[in-house]
């Protein structure tokens, strides 16, 4: 494996050098071509204007842009002195770049001078302001910009403003252009690639914004040597720059190591800059680069989305970010245009309800209008390999059902994912009934809410949201994975065991994580089961821990809703609450109730219109703990959410659980059906390093037997395991008997 | 006042006797007419059949009924032995009566024998079962039925089944009819009016169901002497029976003393039985009875509804019951048919999306289809007098805005409302942004969820939901109003002071409650303000307490969402929680944080897409307490909700507060505007038994001065109050200056 990595690394370096040499030999880009459209060419603009009234999505998108500009023009232009993060001035500067970009595009499309004048006037105001500014004083831990508290926002400003500037370039006088470049664009680009060289060369979404900003303004200014730095890094050595980011930020499957929320954000600089390169230097072949990595990156992003369009909130992430975000609107159209018309992407467009103002947007709007029926987003089960080499674990997603009624089971077993990574290896999310049912907390952040620490990440993001206990994965000895050491977590990754979605009745994925707790091996095998005897798909979870020593294993499930019934007798804390622990996130959970059990555990809650039950196999002296987030939260930064935890002291242990959605509740209609689960028991027949065998029992003879190979698992291999007096045999990685008892 | 009550009482008794005599002289109803339709006549049924394919609402309603019956007929018929409340058998018997009624109506409409046979076969099964049953053993505190744990459900069964029986009456053989009447209908009616005579004669929604059930089956059986008992009480003395209920359960404005949730439930027996009387004994003039009290009752019910169609959950009530409930679907059509076509009722129909299968349903479906644009429900501000004499306080509802974007402020100052009444005089609800923002907890009940005590009312309904602290009204000395004594609460009521919705900028209502805490007078004046300088309507709340003694006054606000910012420095309980108190509901609230303040209190939270701030006038040593429900809740019956409370030790005191919605938050779009309120201060200029004067201040010179007469307040009266060195003068009950400072 190491050797493969090294070879692949060498080849990537070589490829980048070859490309660099090729580019250096290429003829300089003609000045005329430069302003024929960084994002929107004259002929595309004319085609959009000619198509008005024909395609509802494009008409709506133009109307929205026009109304934004109409509102903007009705008020005095404001280019204020910089302010605090999330505050009025901060938001004003953000609005300004959005308005400039739209004004530039509307000028190209409609030819109306008022839009060009709007861009010119605003750039004039920035040309007055920018030279007066030093580094922003309120940067806290971020790299300061001048207009904004962090460079990141300023780079975003420049990406958008480059497009505006490109659109009006020829309309401006030579003096105006000279003034804008001298007062704003040159010094800003220098600030990014010289003063913030480390950030510029960083393999990270901040780096992507930096190189996109510098590269795009360089194209408009006609400075190809600056473009080179954006492509190959400030030292032109290929250790930084756009191509290195395309090499290293994505796995060969296009999966982005920071996760869906951040690829959503990074799609914008990736696609804006790629599109600019494609138009200004087609010889780079950017859309074909690394075996069409941008196509894979886009698909890998949207294929993680929940059936309601929301991105799974793994790592630092919002709970509501979805495929209607402007970055996805951009990437969807460009992917559709540059990689071929795919009806699945029309399904994404349905969530978006708008298109970008470009030739690609026009294509999409035209084909959407021509599509016979309402397109839907129907992704299949998929596994993404993680790591730039594809050898560092992955992300498994099992899906069943149609359209927005799909159920989805996601397991995370890839790399840590950088500074936004959570310590949550083997974490899972179960999505059902249009919501996260076993859920991820998301980030500890009230994004852009100024009184909440300027809308930035809160201390509770580190002290709770990132910790292992905030996730649905086992915590060993009440400590976070890798001791909450980011470097240690970055140095390791999960391991794929197998992923098999071929059998719709029993889709399965299995992975290991042996380097997260010293001396403790962990393997999780999860199934998404469909059985006609059950109303809804069901999750089976086999979480196996092995160690030579005795440890405390906490198996948490983060759910939502109201506790309904259990076969346990809880000791509920009625007059006095204390936190569950003192550190590693436990200090943030109020300990609300506990029970002990030697037999099967059944616990049912109500979430929305369905009941959910977890049924866990019996073990002597299992403890069951209930909690609710909110302890040690002096500034009310946390949400108040329930959690259930099963605790065992053991060395080798298998947590074997079923999570069954069942019944129906409608308060308004005063209807309740099947508030108790149909599955009643799960029994561990045996488990070892070789295999796990469990049996699931339910009412009316309901029975499953699940046999999983824990060791090497080739497809055709025959397994035969003696457990007690019986021998269990199967071929391949696993076998599921669906029958009766 | 007492004299007026007595006179009105006499007149009602007299009126009932006159009616009784009239009825006794009337000719007996012809047998032929009896089965011409208790609910649906032959000609109406034919008209519905002829109209098929013409009116979408009727088509959809018939299709729904047909599909229900198709599913029912595809399975073996089940008439099980009785089971526990909320359990399978319970639900099965409920489904059976619904299916029988629909089958009867479909038989009338389509003429297809299969529907009549379905009713006959099921009645046969009941005729086998019913004679074998004794009183249900699991009645707990309710009156037992035989099929169900409480008579109530059995009465509902009979109401529905009467309609089914009426529809197939002529299709059945004489023997079948005799058997059904002997084995089911006679003994069941006897069970209701003889064995459960107290309930039958009770002035209460249970009594309404009882008389409707007995009266309707009596009509079908042709037993007019039994109908008499249903109309005039088991003793025919007018102290019980349907007419007495129409006299006593509603105020002259049609307001129902139990509140909207229970009138919603009672609409069904009221309207089913009224419609039967209208058809079978038109000479009673039931729809004109008591100056058209049924019309007023229906309007008073739907006019309380929130703009999203949900009924305000005052008293024991679900948080989600809405105007789409089947009872409202029934009453809406019959009100429309019997009292005249009112477009406002089409607005109600829009929420319902279906109609009843009757002539009235056909009329509604036809007119709905003919209505040019989508009808909307746009109720105006309204005050309902409470008590059967209209002299016992009331319910005030202020509304502003259009359609579903209305804001609504509701204050409750009427009678206790029987066994479902809450101890919440002067309680208010603020509805904004399509939700309760300052909210009522609703009932302590997981309705029909079998593992939750059979879906019945839970102990926490008494110990929390009914208590004063669970509401948005002041708690004195940490005790519930009237010492949680229902009899004491029933013996008193709030008093209307004034209600004035004429000025759209400053709608206002004021009421007193002086008999709820010994020696403490309470007056609450609430305004719903509209001011172009503010984004959304704003609430002003002046809650005045007066006493000769020192008391502890707790002013609670029950909100939802996330705490965002405050000018207070909170001592947050970070590692240890205890309940706020030991009794009167306080024992159910975890005490999460506190602060003290001598100056203006500002506290902002986020709920959905808006921020909300409460700004309260300064007083020395004000305490601010934050809490969250969930303490002393061993079985997890409570919801986990936040509450804010301002506490003062005082004798005379005015809590003067503004509740301002402001700004916008959209997590998915990462947008946040105006997270801090525009209103910054409220100051009490002075308050006395004569008047209260307060001033409200905001950014950019924003200013209101509000002057309210606390004593006698005639419309033209001139008030002049000296406070400090200034004299404040106005004419009428109140005056609001809207200006700048």
């Amino acid at each position: 494996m190491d050797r493969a990595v090294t070879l692949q690394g060498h080849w990537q370096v070589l490829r980048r050098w070859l490309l660099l040499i090729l580019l250096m030999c290429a003829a300089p880009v003609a000045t005329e071509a430069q302003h024929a459209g960084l994002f929107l060419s004259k002929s595309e603009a004319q085609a959009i204007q000619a198509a008005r009234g024909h395609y509802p999505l494009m008409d709506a998108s133009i109307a929205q842009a026009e109304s934004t500009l109409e509102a903007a023009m009705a008020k005095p232009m404001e280019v204020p002195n910089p302010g605090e993060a999330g505050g009025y001035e901060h938001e004003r500067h953000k609005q300004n770049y959005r308005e400039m970009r739209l004004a530039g595009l509307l000028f190209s499309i409609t030819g109306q001078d008022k839009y060009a004048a709007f861009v010119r006037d605003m750039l004039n105001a920035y040309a007055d302001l920018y030279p007066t500014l030093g580094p922003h004083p309120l940067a806290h831990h971020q790299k300061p910009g001048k207009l904004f508290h962090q460079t990141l926002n300023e780079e975003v400003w420049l990406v958008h403003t480059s497009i505006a500037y490109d659109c009006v370039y020829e309309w401006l006088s030579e003096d105006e252009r000279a003034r804008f470049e001298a007062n704003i664009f040159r010094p800003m680009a220098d600030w990014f690639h010289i003063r913030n060289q480390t950030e510029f060369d960083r393999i990270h979404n901040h780096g992507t914004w930096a190189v996109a900003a510098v590269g795009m303004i360089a194209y408009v200014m006609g400075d190809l040597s600056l473009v080179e730095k954006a492509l190959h890094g400030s030292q032109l050595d290929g250790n930084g720059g756009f191509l290195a980011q395309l090499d290293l930020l994505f796995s060969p499957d296009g999966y982005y190591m920071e996760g869906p929320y951040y690829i959503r954000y990074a799609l914008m600089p990736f696609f804006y800059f790629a599109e600019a390169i494609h138009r200004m230097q087609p010889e780079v072949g950017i859309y074909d680069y690394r075996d069409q990595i941008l196509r894979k990156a886009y698909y890998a992003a949207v294929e993680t989305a929940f059936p309601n369009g929301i991105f799974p909130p793994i790592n630092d992430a919002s709970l509501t970010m979805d495929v209607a975000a402007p970055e996805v609107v951009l990437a969807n159209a460009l992917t559709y245009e540059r990689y071929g018309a795919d009806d699945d992407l029309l399904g994404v467009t349905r969530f978006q309800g708008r298109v970008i103002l470009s030739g690609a947007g026009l294509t999409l709007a035209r084909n959407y209008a021509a599509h016979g029926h309402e397109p839907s987003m129907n992704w299949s089960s998929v596994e993404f390999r993680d790591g730039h080499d594809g050898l560092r674990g992955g992300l498994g997603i099992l899906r069943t059902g149609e359209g927005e009624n799909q159920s989805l089971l996601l397991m995370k077993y890839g790399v840590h994912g950088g500074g936004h990574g959570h310590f949550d290896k083997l974490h899972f999310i179960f999505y059902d009934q249009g919501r996260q049912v076993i859920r991820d907390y998301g980030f500890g952040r009230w994004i852009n809410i100024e009184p909440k620490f300027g809308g930035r990440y809160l201390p509770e993001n580190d002290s709770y949201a990132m910790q292992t206990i905030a996730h649905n994965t086992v915590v060993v000895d009440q400590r976070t994975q890798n001791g909450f050491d980011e470097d240690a977590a970055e140095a390791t990754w999960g391991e794929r065991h197998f992923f098999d979605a071929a059998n719709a009745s029993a889709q399965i994925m299995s992975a290991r994580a042996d380097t997260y707790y010293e001396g403790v091996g962990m393997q999780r095998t999860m199934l998404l089961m469909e059985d006609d005897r059950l109303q809804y798909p069901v999750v089976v979870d086999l979480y196996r821990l092995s160690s030579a020593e005795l440890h405390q294993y906490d198996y948490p499930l983060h759910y939502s809703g109201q506790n309904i019934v259990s076969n346990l007798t809880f000791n509920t804390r009625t007059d006095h609450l204390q936190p569950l622990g003192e550190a590693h996130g436990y200090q943030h959970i109020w300990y609300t109730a506990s029970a002990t059990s030697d037999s099967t555990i059944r616990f049912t809650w109500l979430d929305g219109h369905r009941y959910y039950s977890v049924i866990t196999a019996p073990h002597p002296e299992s403890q069951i703990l209930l909690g609710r987030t909110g302890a040690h939260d002096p500034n009310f930064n946390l949400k108040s959410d329930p959690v259930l935890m099963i605790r065992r002291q053991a060395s080798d242990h298998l947590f074997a659980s079923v999570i069954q959605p069942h019944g129906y509740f409608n308060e308004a209609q005063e209807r309740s059906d099947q508030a108790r689960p149909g599955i009643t028991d799960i029994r561990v027949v045996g488990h070892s390093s070789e295999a796990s065998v469990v049996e699931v029992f339910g009412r009316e003879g309901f029975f499953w037997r699940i046999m999983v190979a824990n060791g090497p698992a080739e497809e055709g291999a025959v397994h035969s395991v003696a457990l007690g007096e019986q021998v269990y045999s199967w071929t391949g990685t696993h076998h599921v008997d669906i029958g009766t008892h």
Side-chain angles (χ1 to χ4, degrees), chain A:
Chain A
M1 191 173 75
D2 281 349
R3 194 176 142 76
V5 175
T6 313
L7 278 179
Q8 183 157 357
H10 287 174
W11 164 237
Q12 281 171 4
V13 170
L14 185 63
R15 192 166 51 171
R16 281 203 298 270
W17 276 106
L18 286 172
L19 194 63
L20 186 62
I21 291 159
L22 184 79
L23 288 173
M24 284 177 164
C25 304
V29 176
T31 307
E32 188 186 276
Q34 279 173 44
H35 308 109
L38 188 71
F39 180 69
L40 176 68
S41 71
K42 280 193 181 127
S43 60
E44 287 169 321
Q46 283 159 4
I48 292 173
Q49 179 72 352
R52 291 184 74 165
H54 289 82
Y55 312 122
L57 283 180
M58 180 53 87
D59 287 344
S61 304
I62 294 178
Q64 197 179 23
E66 286 176 335
S67 107
T68 301
L69 264 295
E70 196 178 335
M73 289 172 173
K75 289 185 208 150
M77 192 169 272
E78 274 191 274
V79 176
N81 279 317
E84 62 186 329
Y88 177 76
E89 298 82 1
H90 178 99
E91 290 304 317
R92 184 70 249 172
H93 286 296
K94 285 167 70 175
Q95 205 171 321
N96 283 351
Y97 67 63
R98 284 193 291 261
E99 289 170 2
M100 277 196 284
R101 180 178 50 77
L102 288 177
L105 295 172
L106 285 178
F107 168 70
S108 295
I109 293 166
T110 68
Q112 291 182 49
D113 284 342
K114 65 177 180 183
Y115 294 121
F118 179 88
V119 176
R120 178 199 58 206
D121 294 348
M122 194 171 275
L123 286 178
N124 261 322
Y126 277 103
D128 289 342
L129 175 68
Y130 195 75
T132 70
L133 302 176
H136 195 290
L138 300 173
H140 293 275
H141 299 299
Q142 279 104 1
K143 310 278 176 199
K146 290 177 172 179
L147 295 169
F148 295 92
H149 70 290
Q150 58 173 346
T151 19
L152 177 61
N153 294 92
E154 203 140 309
E155 288 152 1
V156 178
W157 186 96
L158 186 55
V159 164
H160 290 263
T161 306
S162 295
I163 293 170
Y165 183 46
D166 182 66
C167 290
V168 302
Y169 190 91
E170 293 175 0
W171 184 89
L172 295 171
S173 72
E174 203 167 317
D175 283 355
E176 284 164 340
R177 294 196 294 253
R179 176 169 135 82
F180 298 156
E181 296 187 11
N183 285 17
I184 315 170
F185 300 133
R186 282 280 165 200
M188 197 179 268
D190 288 351
W191 184 261
F192 298 159
H193 81 97
I194 299 168
R195 169 74 180 245
N196 283 293
Q197 186 193 315
T198 313
E199 189 91 344
F200 184 83
D201 287 334
R202 193 173 162 204
I203 306 302
H204 182 275
N205 78 68
H206 287 200
T208 311
W209 280 105
V211 299
V214 170
M216 288 169 76
I217 198 66
Y219 275 131
V220 190
M221 297 192 299
D223 182 348
L224 277 195
S225 70
L226 192 52
V227 170
E228 290 305 291
K229 292 181 180 173
L231 288 172
H232 304 288
S234 65
Q235 306 309 304
L236 298 176
D237 59 3
N239 287 331
F242 196 61
L243 300 180
Q245 289 170 354
L246 288 173
D247 288 335
L248 299 173
L249 283 173
F250 300 99
S251 84
D253 295 338
Y255 184 69
Y256 184 75
M257 59 96 175
E258 289 189 286
Y261 176 75
Y262 274 94
I263 184 56
R264 179 276 318 170
Y265 187 54
L267 284 174
M268 190 167 269
F270 272 117
F271 274 85
Y272 266 140
F273 192 26
E275 183 67 10
I277 297 167
H278 177 78
R279 287 162 179 265
M280 310 301 275
Q281 294 189 293
E283 65 278 15
V284 174
I286 193 69
Y287 282 118
D288 285 328
Y289 187 76
R290 199 184 166 200
D291 200 15
Q292 302 194 335
I293 193 67
L294 281 164
R295 174 179 64 76
K296 293 174 181 173
Y298 179 65
Y299 275 95
V302 288
E303 283 189 48
T304 65
F306 291 146
N308 64 357
I310 290 178
F311 289 108
I314 53 179
N315 291 338
D316 283 347
S318 150
L319 295 181
T320 50
M321 180 55 65
D322 64 16
V323 300
E327 299 87 350
V328 190
V329 175
L330 172 73
N332 193 58
L334 293 175
T335 301
Y336 190 85
E337 178 87 344
R338 300 299 173 205
Y339 292 112
D342 172 357
D343 277 5
D344 283 332
L345 300 188
L346 298 182
V348 178
T349 303
R350 182 172 66 80
F351 281 97
Q352 300 175 334
R354 63 204 165 113
V355 292
I356 51 172
L357 304 183
S358 79
L362 183 62
T363 304
L364 195 58
R366 186 192 298 120
N367 291 5
Y368 190 92
H371 193 265
H373 52 93
E374 193 149 85
S376 77
M377 199 172 77
N378 258 316
W379 306 120
S380 306
S381 297
V382 64
E383 184 187 38
F384 298 107
R385 293 172 292 163
D386 204 356
H388 69 276
D389 51 12
L391 299 172
R392 304 179 181 204
L395 182 83
I397 300 179
L398 302 177
R399 296 173 184 263
T400 184
E402 294 295 316
E404 297 198 36
N405 290 322
Q406 272 191 343
S407 297
L408 178 155
L409 180 66
L410 172 153
M411 181 164 52
K412 186 167 179 272
Y413 45 93
V415 304
H416 185 65
H420 294 297
H422 286 198
F423 296 80
D424 63 351
K425 216 54 55 189
L426 302 189
H427 170 48
F428 83 100
I429 294 173
F430 179 40
Y431 176 99
D432 182 62
Q433 200 200 159
R435 61 184 75 198
Q436 287 195 91
V437 167
I438 304 295
R439 62 184 166 68
D440 192 301
Y441 183 86
F443 53 32
R445 179 179 193 182
W446 294 96
I447 191 155
N448 286 340
I449 297 183
E450 171 269 315
K452 285 288 190 194
F453 193 44
R456 293 188 287 263
Y457 283 99
L458 292 159
E460 291 76 11
N461 190 57
D462 279 37
S463 62
Y464 182 67
M466 281 187 163
Q467 305 282 341
T468 306
I469 189 58
H471 300 84
N472 306 302
T473 186
V474 168
V475 183
V476 177
D477 298 328
Q478 228 164 303
R479 290 177 57 78
T480 282
Q481 292 175 357
N482 297 121
F484 197 66
D485 181 328
E486 191 184 323
D487 291 339
E490 280 292 352
T492 188
W493 47 83
E495 281 172 45
R496 301 164 58 222
H497 185 38
F498 61 86
F499 180 95
D500 186 346
N503 176 2
S505 304
Q507 299 185 70
I508 187 167
M509 54 190 167
S510 185
R512 301 193 57 89
D514 296 329
T515 51
Y516 289 81
Y517 289 107
E518 209 182 316
V520 181
M522 306 197 292
Q523 177 177 19
R524 188 169 219 163
T525 304
M526 303 199 79
L527 295 96
L528 186 60
M529 299 286 302
E530 280 245 75
D531 187 317
D532 287 347
R533 297 170 292 180
L534 302 173
Q535 236 174 325
Y536 311 110
V538 162
V539 172
V540 177
D541 180 22
L542 307 179
Y543 200 122
R544 188 167 171 273
L545 297 120
S546 50
S547 175
E549 316 285 330
L550 200 68
H551 293 280
Q552 175 180 293
Y553 296 135
D554 284 351
Y555 171 95
L557 293 177
H558 296 267
Y559 62 103
S560 299
Q562 193 71 22
N563 300 352
I564 294 296
V565 66
S566 174
N567 67 333
L568 307 172
T569 304
F570 277 101
N571 167 18
T572 308
R573 311 306 192 247
T574 58
D575 61 358
H576 168 218
L577 289 188
Q578 286 187 301
L580 253 178
E582 293 182 355
H584 292 269
Y586 283 72
Q587 74 276 21
H588 287 299
I589 303 174
W590 294 115
Y591 185 10
T592 57
S594 60
T596 55
S597 174
D598 296 328
S599 54
T600 306
I601 294 163
R602 282 190 289 277
F603 182 86
T604 301
W605 67 95
L606 170 68
D607 184 359
H609 289 301
R610 287 186 194 165
Y611 299 98
Y612 293 87
S613 291
V614 55
I615 300 106
T616 300
H619 294 283
E621 292 178 41
S622 291
Q623 271 187 284
I624 300 86
L625 296 79
L626 300 183
R628 177 173 284 279
T629 45
H632 284 104
D633 183 22
N635 299 314
F636 318 111
N637 289 337
L638 291 172
K639 290 164 282 178
S640 175
D641 288 334
V643 59
L644 160 96
M645 198 184 302
I646 302 175
R647 172 172 290 177
R648 279 217 75 215
Q649 315 291 332
S651 47
D652 288 354
H653 181 63
L654 178 65
F655 286 105
S657 298
V658 169
I659 298 164
Q660 188 198 355
H662 52 95
Y664 179 74
F665 176 64
N666 187 316
E667 191 194 45
Q669 296 175 11
E670 309 199 336
R671 273 187 58 198
S672 169
D673 303 324
Q674 296 178 48
R676 296 178 195 269
I679 291 176
T680 53
D681 288 284
I682 176 168
R683 191 170 70 90
V684 176
V685 177
H687 69 103
S688 67
S689 57
E690 196 183 347
S692 299
V693 176
V694 303
E695 293 177 338
V696 176
F697 302 87
R699 297 181 205 285
E700 295 168 16
F702 180 97
F703 178 74
W704 293 336
R705 180 181 292 125
I706 299 167
M707 300 175 281
V708 178
N710 291 335
E714 274 80 48
E715 252 190 39
V718 176
H719 296 267
S720 193
V721 188
L723 293 166
E725 297 186 355
Q726 213 165 332
V727 174
Y728 297 85
S729 302
W730 69 95
T731 305
T733 58
H734 68 286
H735 184 78
V736 180
D737 284 329
I738 296 181
T740 55
H741 68 83

